[in-house]
Short mmCIF file of all heavy atoms in Angstrom, two decimals:
data_model
loop_
_atom_site.label_atom_id
_atom_site.label_comp_id
_atom_site.label_asym_id
_atom_site.label_seq_id
_atom_site.Cartn_x
_atom_site.Cartn_y
_atom_site.Cartn_z
N THR C 23 9.03 2.77 1.50
CA THR C 23 9.78 1.84 0.66
C THR C 23 9.86 0.50 1.37
O THR C 23 9.69 0.42 2.59
CB THR C 23 11.21 2.34 0.40
OG1 THR C 23 11.88 2.42 1.67
CG2 THR C 23 11.21 3.70 -0.25
N ALA C 24 10.09 -0.55 0.62
CA ALA C 24 10.09 -1.90 1.18
C ALA C 24 11.12 -2.04 2.30
O ALA C 24 10.91 -2.76 3.27
CB ALA C 24 10.34 -2.91 0.08
N SER C 25 12.24 -1.32 2.19
CA SER C 25 13.30 -1.49 3.19
C SER C 25 12.91 -0.93 4.55
O SER C 25 13.49 -1.28 5.56
CB SER C 25 14.59 -0.83 2.70
OG SER C 25 14.38 0.55 2.53
N GLN C 26 11.90 -0.04 4.57
CA GLN C 26 11.42 0.52 5.84
C GLN C 26 10.35 -0.36 6.48
O GLN C 26 9.91 -0.09 7.59
CB GLN C 26 10.78 1.89 5.61
CG GLN C 26 11.72 2.96 5.12
CD GLN C 26 10.95 4.23 4.80
OE1 GLN C 26 9.99 4.21 4.05
NE2 GLN C 26 11.35 5.33 5.41
N ALA C 27 9.92 -1.38 5.77
CA ALA C 27 8.75 -2.13 6.20
C ALA C 27 8.95 -2.79 7.55
O ALA C 27 9.95 -3.44 7.79
CB ALA C 27 8.39 -3.18 5.15
N ALA C 28 7.97 -2.59 8.43
CA ALA C 28 7.98 -3.26 9.72
C ALA C 28 7.48 -4.69 9.55
O ALA C 28 7.87 -5.59 10.27
CB ALA C 28 7.10 -2.51 10.69
N THR C 29 6.60 -4.87 8.58
CA THR C 29 6.02 -6.19 8.35
C THR C 29 6.07 -6.50 6.86
O THR C 29 5.72 -5.65 6.04
CB THR C 29 4.54 -6.23 8.80
OG1 THR C 29 4.43 -5.69 10.12
CG2 THR C 29 4.01 -7.65 8.80
N THR C 30 6.54 -7.69 6.54
CA THR C 30 6.52 -8.14 5.15
C THR C 30 5.58 -9.34 5.03
O THR C 30 5.68 -10.29 5.80
CB THR C 30 7.93 -8.53 4.67
OG1 THR C 30 8.78 -7.39 4.77
CG2 THR C 30 7.92 -9.02 3.24
N ILE C 31 4.67 -9.24 4.11
CA ILE C 31 3.67 -10.29 3.90
C ILE C 31 3.95 -10.96 2.55
O ILE C 31 4.03 -10.29 1.52
CB ILE C 31 2.24 -9.70 3.86
CG1 ILE C 31 1.96 -8.79 5.07
CG2 ILE C 31 1.19 -10.80 3.74
CD1 ILE C 31 1.88 -9.49 6.39
N GLN C 32 4.13 -12.27 2.57
CA GLN C 32 4.26 -13.02 1.33
C GLN C 32 2.86 -13.37 0.85
O GLN C 32 2.06 -13.91 1.61
CB GLN C 32 5.07 -14.32 1.55
CG GLN C 32 6.44 -14.10 2.17
CD GLN C 32 7.42 -13.39 1.25
OE1 GLN C 32 7.28 -13.42 0.03
NE2 GLN C 32 8.41 -12.73 1.85
N VAL C 33 2.58 -13.04 -0.39
CA VAL C 33 1.24 -13.29 -0.93
C VAL C 33 1.35 -14.23 -2.13
O VAL C 33 2.13 -13.97 -3.06
CB VAL C 33 0.58 -11.96 -1.39
CG1 VAL C 33 -0.83 -12.22 -1.92
CG2 VAL C 33 0.55 -10.95 -0.24
N SER C 34 0.57 -15.29 -2.11
CA SER C 34 0.52 -16.21 -3.24
C SER C 34 -0.85 -16.12 -3.91
O SER C 34 -1.88 -16.26 -3.25
CB SER C 34 0.75 -17.65 -2.75
OG SER C 34 0.43 -18.58 -3.78
N LEU C 35 -0.83 -15.85 -5.22
CA LEU C 35 -2.06 -15.88 -6.02
C LEU C 35 -2.10 -17.27 -6.65
O LEU C 35 -1.21 -17.64 -7.40
CB LEU C 35 -2.01 -14.78 -7.09
CG LEU C 35 -1.66 -13.37 -6.57
CD1 LEU C 35 -1.60 -12.38 -7.74
CD2 LEU C 35 -2.63 -12.90 -5.51
N TRP C 36 -3.12 -18.04 -6.32
CA TRP C 36 -3.14 -19.45 -6.75
C TRP C 36 -4.46 -19.78 -7.46
O TRP C 36 -5.46 -19.10 -7.29
CB TRP C 36 -2.95 -20.39 -5.55
CG TRP C 36 -4.05 -20.31 -4.52
CD1 TRP C 36 -4.06 -19.51 -3.41
CD2 TRP C 36 -5.29 -21.02 -4.52
NE1 TRP C 36 -5.25 -19.70 -2.73
CE2 TRP C 36 -6.01 -20.62 -3.37
CE3 TRP C 36 -5.87 -21.97 -5.37
CZ2 TRP C 36 -7.28 -21.12 -3.06
CZ3 TRP C 36 -7.14 -22.47 -5.07
CH2 TRP C 36 -7.82 -22.06 -3.92
N ASP C 37 -4.40 -20.82 -8.23
CA ASP C 37 -5.63 -21.38 -8.80
C ASP C 37 -5.41 -22.84 -9.10
O ASP C 37 -4.29 -23.34 -9.05
CB ASP C 37 -6.07 -20.60 -10.05
CG ASP C 37 -5.05 -20.67 -11.16
OD1 ASP C 37 -4.70 -21.79 -11.61
OD2 ASP C 37 -4.56 -19.60 -11.59
N LYS C 38 -6.52 -23.52 -9.43
CA LYS C 38 -6.45 -24.96 -9.69
C LYS C 38 -6.35 -25.25 -11.18
O LYS C 38 -6.62 -26.37 -11.62
CB LYS C 38 -7.67 -25.66 -9.07
CG LYS C 38 -7.64 -25.59 -7.54
CD LYS C 38 -8.82 -26.32 -6.93
CE LYS C 38 -8.71 -26.30 -5.40
NZ LYS C 38 -9.91 -26.88 -4.76
N GLY C 39 -6.01 -24.25 -11.99
CA GLY C 39 -5.80 -24.48 -13.42
C GLY C 39 -6.88 -23.86 -14.28
O GLY C 39 -7.97 -23.53 -13.81
N ALA C 40 -6.57 -23.72 -15.55
CA ALA C 40 -7.44 -22.98 -16.47
C ALA C 40 -8.77 -23.68 -16.76
O ALA C 40 -9.71 -23.05 -17.23
CB ALA C 40 -6.70 -22.73 -17.78
N PHE C 41 -8.86 -24.97 -16.48
CA PHE C 41 -10.06 -25.70 -16.89
C PHE C 41 -11.00 -26.03 -15.74
O PHE C 41 -11.91 -26.82 -15.87
CB PHE C 41 -9.65 -26.98 -17.64
CG PHE C 41 -8.82 -26.66 -18.85
CD1 PHE C 41 -7.45 -26.89 -18.85
CD2 PHE C 41 -9.40 -26.09 -19.98
CE1 PHE C 41 -6.68 -26.56 -19.96
CE2 PHE C 41 -8.64 -25.76 -21.09
CZ PHE C 41 -7.28 -25.99 -21.08
N MET C 42 -10.75 -25.40 -14.59
CA MET C 42 -11.62 -25.69 -13.45
C MET C 42 -12.94 -24.93 -13.60
O MET C 42 -13.04 -23.95 -14.32
CB MET C 42 -10.94 -25.27 -12.15
CG MET C 42 -10.98 -23.78 -11.94
SD MET C 42 -9.39 -23.07 -11.70
CE MET C 42 -9.72 -21.38 -12.18
N GLU C 43 -13.93 -25.39 -12.85
CA GLU C 43 -15.18 -24.66 -12.76
C GLU C 43 -14.97 -23.48 -11.83
O GLU C 43 -14.31 -23.60 -10.81
CB GLU C 43 -16.26 -25.57 -12.18
CG GLU C 43 -16.60 -26.71 -13.09
CD GLU C 43 -18.10 -26.82 -13.30
OE1 GLU C 43 -18.84 -25.97 -12.76
OE2 GLU C 43 -18.52 -27.75 -14.00
N MET C 44 -15.53 -22.34 -12.20
CA MET C 44 -15.41 -21.17 -11.33
C MET C 44 -16.72 -20.87 -10.64
O MET C 44 -17.70 -20.54 -11.30
CB MET C 44 -14.96 -19.95 -12.14
CG MET C 44 -13.47 -19.94 -12.42
SD MET C 44 -13.01 -18.67 -13.62
CE MET C 44 -13.49 -17.17 -12.78
N PRO C 45 -16.76 -20.99 -9.31
CA PRO C 45 -17.97 -20.58 -8.59
C PRO C 45 -18.26 -19.10 -8.88
O PRO C 45 -17.36 -18.34 -9.21
CB PRO C 45 -17.61 -20.77 -7.12
CG PRO C 45 -16.45 -21.72 -7.12
CD PRO C 45 -15.71 -21.46 -8.40
N THR C 46 -19.54 -18.73 -8.76
CA THR C 46 -19.93 -17.34 -9.06
C THR C 46 -20.55 -16.63 -7.86
O THR C 46 -21.05 -15.52 -7.99
CB THR C 46 -20.94 -17.31 -10.23
OG1 THR C 46 -22.07 -18.11 -9.87
CG2 THR C 46 -20.32 -17.85 -11.50
N ASP C 47 -20.53 -17.30 -6.71
CA ASP C 47 -21.24 -16.72 -5.56
C ASP C 47 -20.38 -16.68 -4.30
O ASP C 47 -20.89 -16.74 -3.20
CB ASP C 47 -22.51 -17.53 -5.29
CG ASP C 47 -22.21 -19.00 -5.03
OD1 ASP C 47 -21.03 -19.43 -5.20
OD2 ASP C 47 -23.14 -19.72 -4.64
N LEU C 48 -19.08 -16.60 -4.50
CA LEU C 48 -18.19 -16.61 -3.33
C LEU C 48 -17.61 -15.23 -3.03
O LEU C 48 -16.47 -15.10 -2.62
CB LEU C 48 -17.05 -17.63 -3.53
CG LEU C 48 -17.46 -19.09 -3.70
CD1 LEU C 48 -16.22 -19.98 -3.84
CD2 LEU C 48 -18.30 -19.57 -2.52
N MET C 49 -18.42 -14.21 -3.22
CA MET C 49 -17.95 -12.86 -2.89
C MET C 49 -17.84 -12.68 -1.37
O MET C 49 -18.58 -13.32 -0.61
CB MET C 49 -18.91 -11.78 -3.39
CG MET C 49 -19.03 -11.69 -4.88
SD MET C 49 -20.46 -12.62 -5.41
CE MET C 49 -20.79 -11.77 -6.97
N TYR C 50 -17.00 -11.76 -0.99
CA TYR C 50 -16.92 -11.36 0.42
C TYR C 50 -18.27 -10.78 0.86
O TYR C 50 -18.89 -10.02 0.11
CB TYR C 50 -15.83 -10.31 0.61
CG TYR C 50 -15.79 -9.75 2.02
CD1 TYR C 50 -15.23 -10.49 3.06
CD2 TYR C 50 -16.34 -8.50 2.31
CE1 TYR C 50 -15.22 -10.00 4.35
CE2 TYR C 50 -16.33 -8.01 3.60
CZ TYR C 50 -15.76 -8.75 4.62
OH TYR C 50 -15.75 -8.26 5.89
N GLY C 51 -18.70 -11.15 2.06
CA GLY C 51 -19.93 -10.57 2.62
C GLY C 51 -21.18 -11.38 2.30
O GLY C 51 -22.24 -11.11 2.85
N VAL C 52 -21.05 -12.40 1.41
CA VAL C 52 -22.19 -13.29 1.15
C VAL C 52 -22.41 -14.13 2.42
O VAL C 52 -21.46 -14.74 2.91
CB VAL C 52 -21.91 -14.21 -0.06
CG1 VAL C 52 -22.98 -15.30 -0.19
CG2 VAL C 52 -21.82 -13.40 -1.35
N PRO C 53 -23.62 -14.14 2.95
CA PRO C 53 -23.85 -14.90 4.19
C PRO C 53 -23.46 -16.37 4.02
O PRO C 53 -23.83 -17.01 3.05
CB PRO C 53 -25.36 -14.76 4.42
CG PRO C 53 -25.75 -13.50 3.69
CD PRO C 53 -24.83 -13.44 2.49
N GLY C 54 -22.68 -16.87 4.95
CA GLY C 54 -22.28 -18.27 4.95
C GLY C 54 -21.30 -18.64 3.85
O GLY C 54 -21.14 -19.82 3.52
N VAL C 55 -20.63 -17.66 3.28
CA VAL C 55 -19.70 -17.94 2.18
C VAL C 55 -18.62 -18.95 2.62
O VAL C 55 -18.06 -18.84 3.70
CB VAL C 55 -19.07 -16.64 1.63
CG1 VAL C 55 -18.21 -15.94 2.67
CG2 VAL C 55 -18.28 -16.89 0.35
N ASP C 56 -18.42 -19.97 1.79
CA ASP C 56 -17.51 -21.06 2.12
C ASP C 56 -16.34 -21.07 1.15
O ASP C 56 -16.43 -21.58 0.04
CB ASP C 56 -18.28 -22.38 2.06
CG ASP C 56 -17.39 -23.57 2.40
OD1 ASP C 56 -16.20 -23.36 2.77
OD2 ASP C 56 -17.89 -24.71 2.28
N LEU C 57 -15.22 -20.49 1.59
CA LEU C 57 -14.07 -20.35 0.69
C LEU C 57 -13.38 -21.69 0.40
O LEU C 57 -12.50 -21.75 -0.46
CB LEU C 57 -13.05 -19.35 1.26
CG LEU C 57 -13.30 -17.87 0.93
CD1 LEU C 57 -12.07 -17.05 1.28
CD2 LEU C 57 -13.66 -17.66 -0.53
N SER C 58 -13.78 -22.75 1.10
CA SER C 58 -13.19 -24.05 0.77
C SER C 58 -13.65 -24.51 -0.61
O SER C 58 -13.07 -25.41 -1.21
CB SER C 58 -13.55 -25.10 1.84
OG SER C 58 -14.92 -25.43 1.75
N LYS C 59 -14.71 -23.88 -1.14
CA LYS C 59 -15.21 -24.21 -2.49
C LYS C 59 -14.48 -23.42 -3.58
O LYS C 59 -14.70 -23.63 -4.77
CB LYS C 59 -16.70 -23.89 -2.59
CG LYS C 59 -17.58 -24.80 -1.74
CD LYS C 59 -19.03 -24.39 -1.85
CE LYS C 59 -19.91 -25.25 -0.96
NZ LYS C 59 -21.11 -24.50 -0.51
N ALA C 60 -13.62 -22.49 -3.16
CA ALA C 60 -12.95 -21.62 -4.13
C ALA C 60 -11.97 -22.43 -4.98
O ALA C 60 -11.32 -23.36 -4.50
CB ALA C 60 -12.20 -20.51 -3.41
N THR C 61 -11.89 -22.08 -6.27
CA THR C 61 -10.95 -22.75 -7.16
C THR C 61 -9.77 -21.84 -7.48
O THR C 61 -8.87 -22.20 -8.24
CB THR C 61 -11.65 -23.16 -8.46
OG1 THR C 61 -12.34 -22.03 -8.99
CG2 THR C 61 -12.63 -24.29 -8.21
N MET C 62 -9.79 -20.65 -6.91
CA MET C 62 -8.65 -19.73 -6.99
C MET C 62 -8.70 -18.86 -5.75
O MET C 62 -9.74 -18.71 -5.12
CB MET C 62 -8.69 -18.88 -8.26
CG MET C 62 -9.99 -18.16 -8.49
SD MET C 62 -9.96 -17.13 -10.00
CE MET C 62 -9.72 -18.34 -11.29
N GLY C 63 -7.55 -18.34 -5.36
CA GLY C 63 -7.58 -17.56 -4.14
C GLY C 63 -6.29 -16.82 -3.86
O GLY C 63 -5.36 -16.80 -4.68
N ILE C 64 -6.28 -16.16 -2.71
CA ILE C 64 -5.13 -15.37 -2.28
C ILE C 64 -4.69 -15.91 -0.92
O ILE C 64 -5.46 -15.91 0.03
CB ILE C 64 -5.48 -13.87 -2.18
CG1 ILE C 64 -5.89 -13.35 -3.56
CG2 ILE C 64 -4.32 -13.08 -1.59
CD1 ILE C 64 -6.15 -11.84 -3.62
N LYS C 65 -3.45 -16.40 -0.88
CA LYS C 65 -2.92 -16.97 0.36
C LYS C 65 -1.85 -16.02 0.91
O LYS C 65 -0.96 -15.58 0.16
CB LYS C 65 -2.30 -18.34 0.05
CG LYS C 65 -1.87 -19.13 1.26
CD LYS C 65 -1.55 -20.57 0.82
CE LYS C 65 -1.06 -21.42 1.98
NZ LYS C 65 0.33 -21.12 2.34
N VAL C 66 -1.97 -15.69 2.19
CA VAL C 66 -1.01 -14.76 2.80
C VAL C 66 -0.21 -15.47 3.89
O VAL C 66 -0.72 -16.39 4.54
CB VAL C 66 -1.72 -13.53 3.40
CG1 VAL C 66 -2.24 -12.61 2.30
CG2 VAL C 66 -2.87 -13.93 4.33
N SER C 67 1.03 -15.03 4.09
CA SER C 67 1.88 -15.64 5.11
C SER C 67 1.39 -15.29 6.51
O SER C 67 1.61 -16.04 7.45
CB SER C 67 3.34 -15.21 4.93
OG SER C 67 3.44 -13.79 4.96
N GLN C 68 0.72 -14.18 6.66
CA GLN C 68 0.03 -13.84 7.91
C GLN C 68 -1.11 -12.90 7.54
O GLN C 68 -0.99 -12.12 6.60
CB GLN C 68 0.97 -13.23 8.95
CG GLN C 68 1.69 -11.98 8.50
CD GLN C 68 2.75 -11.53 9.50
OE1 GLN C 68 3.84 -12.07 9.58
NE2 GLN C 68 2.41 -10.52 10.29
N ASP C 69 -2.23 -13.01 8.29
CA ASP C 69 -3.42 -12.26 7.89
C ASP C 69 -3.63 -11.00 8.71
O ASP C 69 -4.72 -10.42 8.68
CB ASP C 69 -4.66 -13.16 7.91
CG ASP C 69 -4.97 -13.68 9.31
OD1 ASP C 69 -4.29 -13.26 10.28
OD2 ASP C 69 -5.88 -14.52 9.44
N SER C 70 -2.59 -10.59 9.44
CA SER C 70 -2.70 -9.30 10.14
C SER C 70 -1.31 -8.71 10.32
O SER C 70 -0.30 -9.40 10.17
CB SER C 70 -3.39 -9.47 11.49
OG SER C 70 -2.54 -10.16 12.38
N ALA C 71 -1.29 -7.41 10.62
CA ALA C 71 -0.03 -6.71 10.85
C ALA C 71 -0.32 -5.51 11.73
O ALA C 71 -1.42 -4.97 11.71
CB ALA C 71 0.56 -6.24 9.52
N PRO C 72 0.67 -5.11 12.53
CA PRO C 72 0.49 -3.85 13.26
C PRO C 72 0.49 -2.68 12.28
O PRO C 72 1.08 -2.78 11.20
CB PRO C 72 1.70 -3.78 14.19
CG PRO C 72 2.64 -4.85 13.76
CD PRO C 72 1.95 -5.74 12.78
N HIS C 73 -0.17 -1.58 12.65
CA HIS C 73 -0.26 -0.44 11.74
C HIS C 73 1.14 0.10 11.44
O HIS C 73 2.06 -0.05 12.24
CB HIS C 73 -1.15 0.66 12.34
CG HIS C 73 -0.47 1.47 13.39
ND1 HIS C 73 -0.38 1.06 14.70
CD2 HIS C 73 0.17 2.66 13.33
CE1 HIS C 73 0.27 1.97 15.39
NE2 HIS C 73 0.62 2.95 14.59
N GLY C 74 1.27 0.71 10.29
CA GLY C 74 2.57 1.21 9.85
C GLY C 74 2.90 0.68 8.47
O GLY C 74 2.01 0.36 7.68
N ILE C 75 4.19 0.59 8.21
CA ILE C 75 4.62 0.21 6.86
C ILE C 75 4.49 -1.31 6.67
O ILE C 75 5.05 -2.09 7.45
CB ILE C 75 6.08 0.62 6.61
CG1 ILE C 75 6.31 2.09 6.99
CG2 ILE C 75 6.47 0.36 5.16
CD1 ILE C 75 5.63 3.08 6.10
#
Side-chain angles (χ1 to χ4, degrees):
T23 62
S25 61
Q26 295 175 306
T29 310
T30 299
I31 309 292
Q32 305 292 336
V33 182
S34 168
L35 310 178
W36 63 268
D37 62 58
K38 294 182 177 174
F41 301 105
M42 77 236 157
E43 294 230 2
M44 281 169 62
T46 57
D47 58 352
L48 299 182
M49 295 96 156
Y50 174 77
V52 170
V55 64
D56 180 5
L57 274 193
S58 71
K59 292 178 183 151
T61 51
M62 52 179 62
I64 298 185
K65 188 169 178 283
V66 288
S67 56
Q68 58 188 78
D69 63 6
S70 71
H73 78 277
I75 310 292

